[in-house]
Amino acid sequence: MNKPIDPRLLQNAEEAFADYVANTAARIDTGAEAKAHAQGARVGISRPHESAALHVAGEATYVDDIPELTGTLHCALGLSPVAAGRLTGVKLDVIRAMPGVVDVLIASDIPGSNDCGSIVHDDPILCDGEIRFLGQPVFAVVARTRNEARRAAAKAKDVLAIEAATPVLTPQQAHEKGQYVVPPMHLERSTTEGGAKAAIARAPHKLKSSFDVGGQEQFYLEGQISYAIPKEGGAVLVHCSTQHPSEMQHLVAHALHLHANEVQVECRRMGGGFGGKESQSGLFACVAAIAAHKLKKPVKLRLDRDDDFMITGRRHCFWYEYEVGYDDEGRVLGAEITMVSRAGHSADLSGPVMTRAICHFDNAYWLPDVSMHGYSGKTNTQSNTAFRGFGGPQGAIAIENIMDSIARNLGKDPLDVRQVNFYGKTERNVTPYRQLVSDNVIHELVGQLEASSDYRERREAIAAFNAASPVLKRGIALAPLKFGISFNVKHFNQAGALVHVYTDGSILVNHGGTEMGQGLNTKVAQVVAHELGVRFDSVRATATDTSKVANTSATAASTGADLNGKAAQDAARQIKERLAACAAARHGGKAEDVRFANDKVEVNGKTLSFATLVGEAYLDRVQLWSDGFYATPGLSWDRETMTGRPFYYYAYGAAVSEVVVDTLTGEWKLLRADILHDAGRSMNPAVDIGQVEGAFIQGMGWLTTEELVWHPQSGKLTTHAPSTYKIPTANDCPPVFNVQLFEGDNYEDSIHRSKAVGEPPLLLPFSVFYAIRDAVSATADHRADPPLRAPATSEAILNAITAVRAAAA
């Protein structure tokens, strides 16, 4: 039973946030927030997360915190102990005889479709005979307690009969076999005769190389979990930690052979998602629902961390081969690249991930003649999926590696090479996929950061330090970003919302987005409060629920606030217009002259409280609730030619990082990071800066410490727990961490002219990787191009140091 929140905890939370806001305000230092406050605005203001006090007090309810109904059973999954082969038998009687076991489910127990594929229907819920990867769910145990279910499921290796085969584990192996989960993708743009190949051949300088970048585990603090409750008439309610309730609704309905209106999916909040709960929560929602439907009992399925690692996919690792031609200044004249990802055993979201990777290979640079080829390799590993950035980081890091190598080959500062290749304002401003870059602020943003970070002066100081330091070497790098905002699939760019105004003046908003700690509900509540001119605490956001807003898109692609904020604004605006008409009818004047601000309504020289007007409107039988809808305008995409306008706008940013590397051990430390990020006209600067900081550290982990390793023979993921998989900690944050938001409105009519901040900042820690590369290069007096792979673990750094010293010698 939940206890009342300790007032001292609330006070501590409020004081801590006040300190954070003060620090944030000092970093923004524009006076914009003070102006917004004075004008009665509810956006453009740093506000605490709507659940901040609940988080601090431990009162925020996640799926596992929902009080369990009487008779609740618990589920665990029996996993394949081999990576490839055929399932020839399962000794179910052994499992059924174990203590506490109520039932054991296999594929034949699924009444509907045995599939949880997001786009391509190639992903079985439970093994259908083909063993696809080590960790694949083969059966589900339902028991009286969670521990009893887990003990029984752990017997999988003893009860499964499998004819093992040789697994395919790497993207290179899959590429050699021509084994892909979706057809290969190709995008070319030619501005000169002969295209990319001819432009490379004509160029005075050429670069030909390969590069590897690893995957990344989402490592959400709350693991995958679903709690299914049978309802009358065979319907089912599923509480699910998911970024996409509507997709869970559809998958469960298909698995149970039900209509969508018989399945309700609810999610109040997640303890992190990062893309890992966009499609991959489906398997667990389906298994829990199948068990609950069959046994007529509530069933909870909660994974432990090891099983979460072994079953679910993560960020795709990529392998690249590229050839580039460039001139004496470092301008890219032609580029051809092959990208091969480790997709895993099924398609999942690998197709859209590769599409976005190809569309972000240009990053912030004009590439006149370019040829890109994308292959999603089918391997006997977990099916990889969405992760913050969704292929964008994997595409952009390839061109950044190229820019860095060009600079080192020419003996130039990498920043100079990057700047000479930037997109132009009025020319050299069309992407390879034919979208006009009409909102380019990269020149101003990078110029501002270059000056504020003292980049040039620090580079000189680092050169002097390195000359006198034989063991410790420092490095510095500035990395820019341009990131497209919208789903590549046009019809996903829509959202709905409901706004209810109650007779006491309080307001409830429900929308199709999901809250995973990123502050979406906070921003949507700010939008509604601003539109109706009321205090922020007058608005309450409720759980995402498929029975309230239907047919929603995933909260992904950094579109959560853009789409759902606009939908909620539309709903609130309709109510405001009705209230204005009511006020004018009762008190005189024109409806268009009625003003709503600071919980007051000004009409025909009179001032009413908002609650008073709402009460009058109720008496006049005015509708005090409304639905809202928004669809992003102007988008187009031809999947066959890979051309169009897939993105509504671009977000920009840049970061300068300085590191020190111990050349004897490969250890390194981030000494300082300076970030300038484009959030448009920020709706909540404190939340946005928090997102930038978090994305930077998370991306730094991807590129440095978070290494995924599969056993080369068995195909087992050996880094499946915190003991072997190292995410960054507070100790990895730099002692000097300067984060500011770039001033300027969004060029497009986004919600209050803001810009998305969920995914774009994950590209900022490229600067950390290339600062490490710079330090490695310094070990040989910058006479060789370091072959540093990502993640740049200490082992990788030592290998690169050995290579550059050998090359220089």
Side-chain angles (χ1 to χ4, degrees), residues 226-557:
S226 287
Y227 184 29
I229 302 169
K231 295 292 185 178
E232 63 182 17
V236 63
L237 164 64
V238 182
H239 294 281
C240 182
S241 182
T242 179
Q243 296 172 237
H244 201 346
S246 285
E247 182 172 331
M248 300 307 104
Q249 178 190 34
H250 297 152
L251 291 174
V252 169
H254 292 153
L256 295 179
H257 200 61
L258 299 175
H259 294 294
N261 64 2
E262 296 173 285
V263 178
Q264 178 186 354
V265 178
E266 181 178 308
C267 178
R268 172 58 183 93
R269 60 173 62 83
M270 288 166 275
F274 307 115
K277 296 175 181 176
E278 181 175 344
S279 62
Q280 301 226 341
S281 46
L283 187 150
F284 314 106
C286 287
V287 170
I290 292 164
H293 190 263
K294 179 182 180 182
L295 300 173
K296 310 301 183 195
K297 295 280 189 180
V299 174
K300 180 186 285 188
L301 171 53
R302 173 168 66 88
L303 297 187
D304 72 355
R305 184 64 61 181
D306 289 84
D307 285 350
D308 205 317
F309 263 86
M310 298 303 292
I311 297 171
T312 65
R314 45 198 59 86
R315 185 188 301 282
H316 296 68
C317 75
F318 269 60
W319 172 71
Y320 315 86
E321 282 188 325
Y322 52 79
E323 188 172 8
V324 180
Y326 55 97
D327 65 16
D328 293 341
E329 296 302 311
R331 290 185 184 88
V332 174
L333 304 176
E336 183 165 19
I337 186 168
T338 294
M339 308 182 190
V340 186
S341 70
R342 178 193 276 124
H345 71 92
S346 68
D348 197 82
L349 298 172
S350 293
V353 165
M354 182 58 73
T355 300
R356 187 169 279 264
I358 288 174
C359 288
H360 282 78
F361 173 62
D362 61 329
N363 195 16
Y365 309 114
W366 161 252
L367 304 176
D369 289 89
V370 62
S371 181
M372 294 173 277
H373 315 284
Y375 301 88
S376 301
K378 185 175 183 178
T379 56
N380 293 111
T381 57
Q382 295 84 359
S383 189
N384 284 328
T385 188
F387 194 136
R388 197 175 196 170
F390 200 80
Q394 294 99 310
I397 199 170
I399 193 66
E400 291 302 330
N401 213 59
I402 289 167
M403 293 294 171
D404 201 70
S405 293
I406 289 173
R408 300 195 183 283
N409 290 340
L410 292 175
K412 291 181 175 292
D413 188 320
L415 175 57
D416 294 333
V417 171
R418 288 181 165 98
Q419 287 176 317
V420 81
N421 281 286
F422 279 164
Y423 274 110
K425 296 273 193 176
T426 57
E427 58 181 6
R428 293 162 40 99
N429 62 343
V430 178
T431 67
Y433 47 91
R434 314 304 194 266
Q435 178 165 341
L436 179 69
V437 182
S438 56
D439 58 358
N440 189 355
V441 297
I442 197 66
H443 299 270
E444 301 93 319
L445 189 151
V446 169
Q448 182 179 327
L449 180 63
E450 180 185 350
S452 66
S453 67
D454 299 320
Y455 173 84
R456 302 289 179 179
E457 295 84 350
R458 287 165 61 196
R459 180 163 283 287
E460 292 180 3
I462 288 169
F465 173 89
N466 288 339
S469 176
V471 174
L472 299 179
K473 298 292 183 181
R474 291 191 176 188
I476 191 170
L478 187 154
L481 72 89
K482 172 183 70 68
F483 195 92
I485 304 299
S486 289
F487 288 101
N488 276 70
V489 179
K490 180 181 175 181
H491 67 262
F492 289 163
N493 295 281
Q494 58 175 300
L498 292 172
V499 174
H500 294 188
V501 178
Y502 296 96
T503 54
D504 63 353
S506 64
I507 300 161
L508 182 143
V509 58
N510 186 273
H511 57 88
T514 52
E515 175 62 52
M516 60 195 91
Q518 83 278 40
L520 174 58
N521 282 347
T522 307
K523 287 187 174 182
V524 171
Q526 285 182 271
V527 168
V528 172
H530 181 83
E531 195 65 31
L532 294 174
V534 300
R535 299 186 316 277
F536 174 79
D537 56 14
S538 296
V539 184
R540 178 170 175 263
T542 57
T544 310
D545 188 333
T546 56
S547 68
K548 294 180 180 177
V549 177
N551 310 318
T552 60
S553 295
T555 304

Side-chain angles (χ1 to χ4, degrees), residues 169-184:
L169 300 175
T170 69
Q172 293 94 322
Q173 290 172 346
H175 191 45
E176 289 170 3
K177 291 176 174 288
Q179 189 171 294
Y180 311 114
V181 296
V182 293

Side-chain angles (χ1 to χ4, degrees), residues 159-203:
V159 302
L160 299 179
I162 298 172
E163 293 178 357
T166 302
V168 174
L169 300 175
T170 69
Q172 293 94 322
Q173 290 172 346
H175 191 45
E176 289 170 3
K177 291 176 174 288
Q179 189 171 294
Y180 311 114
V181 296
V182 293
M185 302 177 188
H186 306 281
L187 173 59
E188 298 187 7
R189 193 257 295 277
S190 300
T191 63
T192 60
E193 185 177 351
K197 287 186 182 295
I200 295 168
R202 291 191 299 265

Side-chain angles (χ1 to χ4, degrees), residues 554-604:
T555 304
S558 299
T559 61
D562 282 1
L563 295 177
N564 296 288
K566 276 284 193 179
Q569 183 186 53
D570 178 46
R573 185 168 290 166
Q574 293 179 55
I575 296 172
K576 184 171 74 172
E577 289 171 353
R578 294 177 198 141
L579 289 172
C582 173
R586 273 182 167 259
H587 303 285
K590 298 179 179 178
E592 56 267 28
D593 294 332
V594 177
R595 295 290 175 263
F596 296 76
N598 297 316
D599 281 313
K600 305 293 183 184
V601 181
E602 296 181 3
V603 51
N604 197 29

